[in-house]
Amino acid sequence: MDDQLIERIVAEIEKRMKKSVLLALTPAPGYQDEICQRINTFSHIRFSLFVTTQAQVSHDLSKWRHLGEIHNASEFDCQQLSTYHALFIPYFDKKLVGEIINGLFISEEGKLIHSALAQNIPIIALPYFCQPESELNEILGLNKNKEYNLLIQENISRLKSMGIMFHSINNVETNLINHDIRHQAKSEYKPEIKQGNNNRYITLNEVMNKPGEYHLSQDKLTDSAIEYLKSLKN
């Protein structure tokens, strides 16, 4: 056995020891090159790429090809998901949040995520494109409506309860390497209740859950909430 053959065998063993991850490449409004360059440093992960039709137009695929085998979305069999340790979505935008939350099968990436959720395949995503408070959304001026921001945050919490994990780029590789993410506990979804002075009415359900926190003289109570507090007084 010559040295060249030994090197090939060692390289193949090292390749098989790496975590096998399917990376879903989708369009993105920014940070394309920066995220791509950072993912290229993930030396302990063996990637395959699921490339959507729109991503083929918006990304320079020559920068991604060396990461691993490329699968066009139109030809990918979702039953293959079970062969991967996880699904990684670096460009997870607000449109995709709404699609998954509402159970819609519109985009190629949406169909892939629904299939991964149904098969209980771990899903990791970067939060920069959907989190209202991210620097990217601040730069783009897409975080100015506080009420809308709360809706997006609530939907992201619901995604987390389904098993979609949002990590910063610094923590993605670490979580894939050092943790068996298949057995991480899903976070419980708890809708956020806004506090303090605001323009939203306090609902009957909120008052019934915590009657001690509300009183009849309080502004912005719905009629049903007022009647319920009155009944407690009687």
Side-chain angles (χ1 to χ4, degrees):
M1 186 179 293
D2 58 30
D3 291 343
Q4 190 175 15
L5 179 58
I6 292 174
E7 288 178 2
R8 287 203 301 268
I9 293 173
V10 171
E12 182 63 25
I13 292 174
E14 290 178 345
K15 179 180 178 181
R16 294 185 180 185
M17 290 178 65
K18 295 179 179 180
K19 300 290 187 182
S20 178
V21 173
L22 181 65
L23 187 155
L25 189 60
T26 60
Y31 289 179
Q32 288 190 9
D33 291 340
E34 293 81 0
I35 289 176
C36 177
Q37 290 169 9
R38 184 61 183 278
I39 291 174
N40 284 330
T41 67
F42 290 6
S43 59
H44 296 88
I45 298 174
R46 175 162 47 95
F47 283 111
S48 294
L49 275 72
F50 171 98
V51 183
T52 68
T53 302
Q54 291 184 342
Q56 294 177 40
V57 177
S58 62
H59 289 275
D60 181 357
L61 294 185
S62 65
K63 298 178 180 179
W64 295 90
R65 290 188 185 281
H66 70 282
L67 278 180
E69 184 179 4
I70 288 182
H71 303 277
N72 291 332
S74 59
E75 302 170 353
F76 185 79
D77 181 2
C78 287
Q79 294 303 315
Q80 296 180 32
L81 280 168
S82 60
T83 65
Y84 296 99
H85 181 68
L87 171 63
F88 175 41
I89 308 161
Y91 306 105
F92 203 111
D93 60 16
K94 295 174 184 176
K95 174 179 67 65
L96 195 51
V97 170
E99 182 176 346
I100 303 305
I101 284 298
N102 289 289
L104 302 176
F105 292 74
I106 300 174
S107 65
E108 293 168 325
E109 59 268 33
K111 295 174 184 177
L112 179 72
I113 294 169
H114 279 300
S115 184
L117 288 171
Q119 298 178 54
N120 201 28
I121 305 298
I123 301 173
I124 285 183
L126 297 180
Y128 310 119
F129 299 88
C130 58
Q131 286 282 9
E133 71 273 15
S134 73
E135 182 184 64
L136 176 61
N137 280 315
E138 182 177 348
I139 291 172
L140 296 174
L142 299 177
N143 65 347
K144 296 180 179 180
N145 187 324
K146 293 183 179 179
E147 299 295 324
Y148 179 69
N149 291 347
L150 286 170
L151 173 63
I152 297 298
Q153 289 285 14
E154 184 173 322
N155 284 339
I156 291 173
S157 295
R158 292 174 64 189
L159 290 178
K160 290 178 180 178
S161 73
M162 295 178 189
I164 298 179
M165 293 162 279
F166 290 89
H167 290 294
S168 70
I169 192 73
N170 288 338
N171 295 329
V172 168
E173 187 177 23
T174 300
N175 274 273
L176 286 173
I177 295 170
N178 297 334
H179 301 284
D180 184 359
I181 59 178
R182 288 182 181 274
H183 295 97
Q184 286 186 358
K186 295 184 175 81
S187 59
E188 181 182 357
Y189 166 59
K190 295 181 179 179
E192 182 176 341
I193 297 177
K194 294 187 292 182
Q195 302 295 328
N197 187 25
N198 56 62
N199 294 321
R200 185 181 62 83
Y201 277 89
I202 298 167
T203 66
L204 172 61
N205 187 54
E206 292 171 14
V207 174
M208 291 179 68
N209 286 334
K210 297 181 179 179
E213 293 187 12
Y214 302 100
H215 46 84
L216 285 171
S217 61
Q218 192 162 351
D219 292 334
K220 300 297 182 181
L221 287 169
T222 62
D223 291 341
S224 57
I226 291 173
E227 291 302 319
Y228 176 76
L229 287 175
K230 285 181 180 179
S231 70
L232 296 180
K233 297 286 186 181
N234 297 333

